[in-house]
Amino acid sequence: MMNLVKWARLRSPWLLHFNTGACNACDIEVLAALTPRYDLERFGVLLKGSPRHADVLVVTGPVTRQVRDRLLRVYNQMPDPKFVVAVGTCCISGGVFNGCYNVYSGLDSVIPVDAYIFGCPPKPEAIINGVAALLKKLEES
Amino acid sequence: MEWLLELLQILIFPGIVFAIVLAFVYEWFDRKIYAKLQNRVGPLYTGKSGILQPFADFVKLLAKEDITPGEVDKPLFNALPIVALTLSLMGFLALPITGLRGIISFNGDLIFLIALMTLICIVIIYSGISSSNRFSTVGAERAALQLLGYEIPMMLSAISIGILAGSMWVYDIVNTQVSGIWFLVGPSILGFAIFVLCGQAELERIPFDIPEAETEIVAGWLTEFSGKKLALFRLTKDVELLYLSGLAVALFLGGPSGPVISGLEPILYPIYFLLKTLFVLFLLTTLRALFARLRIDQMVNFSWKYLVPLAILQVLLVRVIV
Ligand code: SF4
C-alpha cells in the first residue's frame, strides 16, 4: 500500500509557482520549462493555481520582508506532504541582493527547502534536473 | 440468482467499477490528444505511454492531507464531493452500453438524465459557496450564470430528439435509430453541434472553463478543496465527461448499436459504445485545444443570441419533418 502511494507521489508532482521578488528572469525560465518544448507533463507535472492542490512549491527570487508573511501563508495552505524548490541564486542565498536591508539571506531561513537549483537564471533544463533530483530524493526516503 | 446478477451489473460491469476505470482511461486519452494538438507528447512515463497517469494523480490526492479550512460550512463542504460523484455515476448507470437499455431505464428517463446534469452543476455552485472563499464564491457565481446560458439550448436539442423518436425514453430513442438511421444524419446535425457545445460548457472545459479560470480566480469553486475531496471532484468530472459523451452517443449516434453477428451482442455492443464515445470525446478535446477562454458575458451573450435561436430552429425543423 505504501509502495503504491509512493509510486503515485513520484509520478504526479503538481507545481505551484511563487515569486518572492525575483527580477522575472527566473520566472520566465520556470514558465519556459512548462512549455511544449520541454513538456513537463510527460512526468505528470502540472501547474496548479491553488496552494491547496499543489505538492511542490517552486519559489523564485530573494525573499523580501514584504513577502515573507504571504510566503508563509501560502506554504501553510498547502496540504502535506509538501516540498519546496528554491530556483535561482537569489532564492538560495539572496544572491546579489544578499545583505540588503529588506531581503532575507536565502529561502531556507524562512521555510524548509528540499531542493536548490543554481543559476542566474537557471536554464529550463536545470529546473527539470532539479525537480528530477527532488523526485529521486523522495524515492530514496 | 437474478438479484446477484443485477448487483454485479451495477457494481462491476457495466456499472461503477467499469465507469471509474473507463473515466481514468478517457482522461488519459483526453490529455494525450490535447498534448498532441499542442505539439507535445503528454503523459509518458506512468505506465505504458502514461495510461496510468490519471490513476496516479487520483491515488496521490487520496493519500494527501485533507484540509478543512476553519471558515467553511463543514457538513456541506464534506458531503458535496461524494454527492457529486454519486450523481455522475447514477447518470452513467442509465446509459445503454451492453444492450439497448441501461441498468436504470424507465419511461421518460431522458428528462431524468438532463436533470442530473443540472443537479451536478448545482452541487458545484453549493461547493463554491460553502467554501467561504472569495475566489470560490466568484467561481460559483460564474457557474450559476453559465448554467443559465447552456442549459436551455441543451434541453431543446435533447427534446428535438425526443420529438423525432416520439418518446422521452432513451431505450425508445436508441431503438428508433437501430431500425432507421442515426439521428446525427439529417436534420439533427445542428442539434448534435449544440449538444456538444453545451456539453463542453457543462463540463467546464475550455472555452467555457470560466468558473475555474485559473488565471483570474485561482481555481474557481475548487480552490479550497484538497486531498480526498479534490480527488473525488476530479473523478466526478471524468465520469461526467464519459457520461456526457455516452449520452450524446445514445441520442445522436444510435447508442451501442452497430452491425452485429447474432449472439455476440453483449461483446460487440460495449465495443461500439467505446468507439463512438471516443469519437465524441475526440470532438470535445479538439474544441478544448482550438479555443481560448471566453469571458462570462461573452459566453452568456453567445448562447442567448445564437445557441437558443438555433436550438429553437432545430425543434421547428424536426417538428416539420415528423
Ligand atoms: S537569480 Fe538572477 S535571474 Fe533569478 S531572480 Fe535573482 S537576479 Fe533574477
Side-chain angles (χ1 to χ4, degrees):
Chain A
M1 199 58 204
M2 270 338 274
N3 278 342
L4 179 70
V5 169
K6 199 167 165 185
W7 168 86
R9 238 169 234 163
L10 285 177
R11 268 156 190 80
S12 122
W14 290 355
L15 308 182
L16 176 70
H17 176 201
F18 191 78
N19 179 340
T20 54
C23 73
N24 231 319
C26 278
D27 302 310
I28 292 170
E29 298 301 318
V30 169
L31 295 184
L34 295 162
T35 51
R37 184 174 175 90
Y38 299 98
D39 189 21
L40 277 184
E41 205 191 350
R42 282 180 294 154
F43 307 103
V45 173
L46 290 180
L47 186 67
K48 287 285 158 185
S50 166
R52 300 261 193 240
H53 303 178
D55 308 289
V56 182
L57 182 63
V58 178
V59 185
T60 54
V63 186
T64 60
R65 285 188 197 279
Q66 269 275 341
V67 91
R68 180 177 172 274
D69 291 344
R70 281 87 183 170
L71 175 65
L72 281 177
R73 201 187 300 153
V74 166
Y75 181 72
N76 289 333
Q77 276 173 349
M78 287 171 63
D80 277 324
K82 54 190 165 192
F83 312 97
V84 179
V85 180
V87 175
T89 316
C90 283
C91 194
I92 295 168
S93 66
V96 284
F97 306 107
N98 195 358
C100 278
Y101 68 96
N102 58 347
V103 161
Y104 287 90
S105 57
L107 178 65
D108 42 11
S109 58
V110 183
I111 51 176
V113 179
D114 299 275
Y116 300 88
I117 299 169
F118 297 92
C120 176
K123 289 187 107 180
E125 288 93 336
I127 295 172
I128 296 171
N129 189 23
V131 174
L134 173 75
L135 293 181
K136 191 163 221 169
K137 195 170 136 188
L138 262 178
E139 193 165 18
E140 281 154 11
S141 69
Chain B
M1 270 336 266
E2 190 99 319
W3 63 270
L4 189 67
L5 201 69
E6 218 155 82
L7 197 69
L8 279 181
Q9 265 190 346
I10 291 178
L11 288 181
I12 299 174
F13 184 84
I16 294 168
V17 173
F18 179 64
I20 290 174
V21 172
L22 208 59
F24 284 143
V25 175
Y26 276 34
E27 190 199 333
W28 167 79
F29 182 78
D30 179 43
R31 279 167 76 168
K32 264 312 222 203
I33 296 288
Y34 189 55
K36 272 269 149 36
L37 291 169
Q38 292 182 335
N39 231 344
R40 300 187 284 130
V41 268
L44 189 61
Y45 296 114
T46 314
K48 190 152 171 45
S49 17
I51 196 165
L52 291 177
Q53 187 63 52
F55 178 66
D57 290 348
F58 185 71
V59 171
K60 179 206 74 176
L61 283 174
L62 280 188
K64 263 180 99 78
E65 186 189 359
D66 189 358
I67 302 174
T68 308
E71 289 294 311
V72 302
D73 185 338
K74 285 198 185 62
L76 263 184
F77 191 77
N78 289 327
L80 285 173
I82 303 169
V83 175
L85 184 59
T86 319
L87 286 176
S88 59
L89 281 175
M90 204 143 82
F92 183 79
L93 290 184
L95 293 177
I97 297 170
T98 44
L100 298 184
R101 312 173 62 136
I103 302 173
I104 318 171
S105 177
F106 52 88
N107 200 346
D109 58 358
L110 183 59
I111 299 170
F112 167 72
L113 290 180
I114 301 269
L116 266 186
M117 277 192 277
T118 311
L119 271 182
I120 294 176
C121 189
I122 288 171
V123 167
I124 283 171
I125 296 168
Y126 269 114
S127 50
I129 292 172
S130 71
S131 309
S132 334
N133 173 313
R134 65 198 82 166
F135 301 116
S136 309
T137 315
V138 174
E141 275 167 16
R142 289 184 178 190
L145 210 53
Q146 183 156 306
L147 178 71
L148 293 181
Y150 67 76
E151 199 191 16
I152 288 169
M154 190 175 210
M155 278 184 179
L156 283 177
S157 70
I159 283 171
S160 76
I161 290 300
I163 295 174
L164 264 182
S167 157
M168 288 303 257
W169 191 2
V170 174
Y171 171 64
D172 274 348
I173 292 173
V174 173
N175 234 346
T176 323
Q177 295 178 76
V178 172
S179 45
I181 47 165
W182 292 358
F183 286 149
L184 178 63
V185 195
S188 275
I189 187 145
L190 183 64
F192 181 69
I194 294 170
F195 193 86
V196 166
L197 262 183
C198 295
Q200 191 84 334
E202 158 76 36
L203 296 165
E204 294 178 358
R205 287 145 60 87
I206 302 167
F208 302 119
D209 63 335
I210 308 160
E212 45 189 75
E214 73 271 9
T215 43
E216 299 159 22
I217 46 171
V218 186
W221 56 273
L222 259 177
T223 305
E224 287 292 342
F225 291 92
S226 57
K228 285 186 204 67
K229 300 191 192 92
L230 181 61
L232 290 184
F233 266 128
R234 282 177 64 89
L235 185 59
T236 305
K237 279 280 158 205
D238 291 347
V239 176
E240 210 191 342
L241 177 64
L242 176 62
Y243 159 56
L244 209 120
S245 29
L247 189 59
V249 164
L251 293 186
F252 296 94
L253 296 173
S257 63
V260 283
I261 310 152
S262 62
L264 280 180
E265 282 100 339
I267 303 165
L268 284 175
Y269 276 173
I271 295 176
Y272 288 135
F273 176 80
L274 288 185
L275 288 178
K276 289 176 183 177
T277 42
L278 280 178
F279 168 70
V280 176
L281 182 61
F282 179 75
L283 285 182
L284 288 172
T285 311
T286 318
L287 275 181
R288 183 158 89 101
L290 278 180
F291 291 104
R293 186 189 312 125
L294 298 171
R295 272 199 325 262
I296 182 72
D297 59 318
Q298 288 171 332
M299 188 271 161
V300 178
N301 251 337
F302 167 71
S303 68
W304 280 99
K305 268 190 193 150
Y306 303 106
L307 282 186
V308 173
L310 281 177
I312 293 175
L313 179 72
Q314 162 72 31
V315 175
L316 287 179
L317 269 181
V318 165
R319 222 25 228 140
V320 169
I321 288 171
V322 173

